[in-house]
Amino acid sequence: MVFGEANEFVEILRGAIPVYALFFLPLLIILSPLDPVLGAHEFAVYRVQQYDLQGTAYGCRSAAMNVEARTLQSGSYSRRGVLARITELTLTKYHEIISQMAGGLIILFPHNLLSLSNNEIQHILELEKSILEEETSVPIYFAVETPEIRRIYEEIEVSANNVDKQPTTEAILSSITMNGFQFVVGASQPKALSDVQVTNVWGKLHGHGIEEQLPSIVIVAHYDAFGVAPALSYGADSNGSGVAALIELARLFFLLYSSSQTHAKFNLVFLLSGAGKFNYQGAKKWIEDNLETSESGLLQEIGRAHV
C-alpha cells in the first residue's frame, strides 16, 4: 500500500525533476556515506582588516561565511566560497571573484615564506595593496597552507569543479554523493570601535644651552605593524627595522651628548609613534600636543635608508 502511494506520488512529480531532486535532497544527504561530523575540519583563518580613514572606507566589510567550496578553476564564483593559493591568485582573478559577488574568499599562503621567489613576493605585495585599497562586502580571509588544508584543496579541485561542468540535473545528483565541502565562519558582523587611543612613546636629549631657546629635531618611526591581515603582520621590515634604527640612533647620540665636546646645540627627540600607516595619525597627534604649529611641512618622510 505504501509503495503504491509512493508510485502515485512519483507520477505526480514526473516531468519536474529539479523539484523532485530538491525535495528528496535532505533525505539523500542523511543517507550519504559521508559522515558530516567525521568530514569536518577546523583551521585558523585571519580576516582582511577594515578601517575608515577621513571618511573613506577600506578593506573587508563582512565576516560571516556559510557557502559551498570551490577553487579558482571553477568558472562560477557567485555565492560560493573560493579557496585560492596566493601565488595563483592574479589581480584579474581577484577582481573577477569580487565582481561576481562570491560568498567568500580564503587565500592560502605557504608555510615557508622564504621559499617564495622575488617575482612571487612582488606579486603578493601588489595583491595586498589592491585588496587594502578597495572596499568590498565579500568576506576575505587568509590561512596557512598546511598538509591537511592541501588535501582539502585537492579534493575540492577534483570533485566540485567536475560538478560545475555537468548539466544541471546531473550536477544535482553528483552533489549528493560527492565529498563536498562547506566553508563556515561563524563570526558576527564587525562593528566600528568608538574610542581608539593612539599611544606614542618618546624621549628627549637636551641640547647644550637653554633648552627652551634651542631648536629641536624629532626623529620618528612608527612601531605598529601593518598588513592586509592584522594578525599576520609581524612587521620585521615595516616597521621593526625602523624601530631598531631609531633606538640605535638614540644610543649613539646619548653617548655624544654625554661629552661636553660633542654636546650639540639642539634638542633631539626620539618618537615611536602609533598609527603610522594610518596617515601618520600618531605623529600628527604628538605635534598637536607638543608644538605650537602643526604645519604639514614638519613631516618629512624617509622611505628607506641604505647604509
Side-chain angles (χ1 to χ4, degrees):
M1 181 66 178
V2 174
F3 290 105
E5 294 178 353
N7 288 332
E8 293 178 5
F9 183 70
V10 171
E11 290 296 329
I12 294 174
L13 292 176
R14 188 180 300 278
I17 296 298
V19 178
Y20 175 85
L22 292 174
F23 183 85
F24 284 99
L25 187 58
L27 176 61
L28 293 174
I29 289 178
I30 295 174
L31 297 178
S32 172
L34 178 63
D35 188 331
V37 177
L38 296 178
H41 300 271
E42 291 186 2
F43 54 91
V45 293
Y46 306 89
R47 193 172 72 93
V48 167
Q49 68 168 307
Q50 69 176 92
Y51 61 94
D52 297 339
L53 184 61
Q54 296 179 343
T56 303
Y58 297 90
C60 177
R61 302 280 111 179
S62 303
M65 187 191 307
N66 191 343
V67 288
E68 186 181 3
R70 288 291 187 271
T71 63
L72 279 180
Q73 284 65 37
S74 174
S76 176
Y77 308 123
S78 179
R79 297 188 299 277
R80 289 170 174 170
V82 182
L83 186 65
R85 291 189 172 103
I86 193 168
T87 53
E88 300 173 357
L89 182 61
T90 64
L91 286 173
T92 301
K93 273 292 183 183
Y94 169 74
H95 288 116
E96 186 179 343
I97 292 170
I98 299 302
S99 63
Q100 289 191 26
M101 294 300 296
L105 172 62
I106 299 178
I107 304 174
L108 302 177
F109 62 90
H111 185 269
N112 181 16
L113 295 178
L114 297 177
S115 63
L116 297 172
S117 66
N118 290 334
N119 289 336
E120 288 174 330
I121 293 175
Q122 186 60 36
H123 162 70
I124 292 174
L125 291 176
E126 292 175 358
L127 181 63
E128 178 185 38
K129 184 172 182 267
S130 180
I131 293 175
L132 283 175
E133 287 181 346
E134 301 172 5
E135 178 190 11
T136 177
S137 59
V138 176
I140 304 176
Y141 289 88
F142 283 82
V144 180
E145 185 175 348
T146 62
E148 179 186 43
I149 296 179
R150 187 178 302 115
R151 288 192 296 270
I152 295 174
Y153 179 91
E154 292 171 351
E155 187 165 350
I156 294 173
E157 191 171 36
V158 172
S159 58
N161 294 334
N162 286 339
V163 172
D164 287 337
K165 299 176 182 178
Q166 295 176 346
T168 304
T169 305
E170 294 182 17
I172 294 175
L173 296 176
S174 296
S175 64
I176 295 171
T177 57
M178 64 179 281
N179 293 333
F181 286 91
Q182 195 91 355
F183 290 144
V184 179
V185 178
S188 58
Q189 186 66 20
K191 297 181 179 178
L193 300 176
S194 57
D195 186 18
V196 178
Q197 297 293 330
V198 178
T199 302
N200 293 321
V201 181
W202 61 285
K204 186 176 184 180
L205 290 175
H206 303 294
H208 181 67
I210 301 176
E211 178 187 347
E212 291 77 10
Q213 297 179 0
L214 297 177
S216 297
I217 298 176
V218 184
I219 303 175
V220 186
H222 68 87
Y223 62 81
D224 43 356
F226 181 85
V228 68
L232 299 175
S233 304
Y234 303 115
D237 185 52
S238 179
N239 191 30
S241 57
V243 171
L246 184 141
I247 293 175
E248 179 62 10
L249 285 173
R251 185 186 71 84
L252 294 174
F253 277 104
F254 172 78
L255 296 176
L256 293 172
Y257 274 50
S258 299
S259 172
S260 59
Q261 296 180 345
T262 54
H263 196 175
K265 295 182 179 181
F266 54 82
N267 304 313
L268 275 179
V269 176
F270 299 91
L271 170 63
L272 293 175
S273 66
K277 288 292 187 177
F278 296 97
N279 202 20
Y280 305 103
Q281 293 298 314
K284 290 180 178 179
K285 182 178 184 300
W286 186 89
I287 290 175
E288 293 173 357
D289 294 342
N290 294 275
L291 301 181
E292 295 180 358
T293 177
S294 58
E295 296 178 6
S296 59
L298 292 173
L299 289 176
Q300 298 183 18
E301 179 182 2
I302 299 177
R304 185 180 297 269
H306 298 275
V307 179

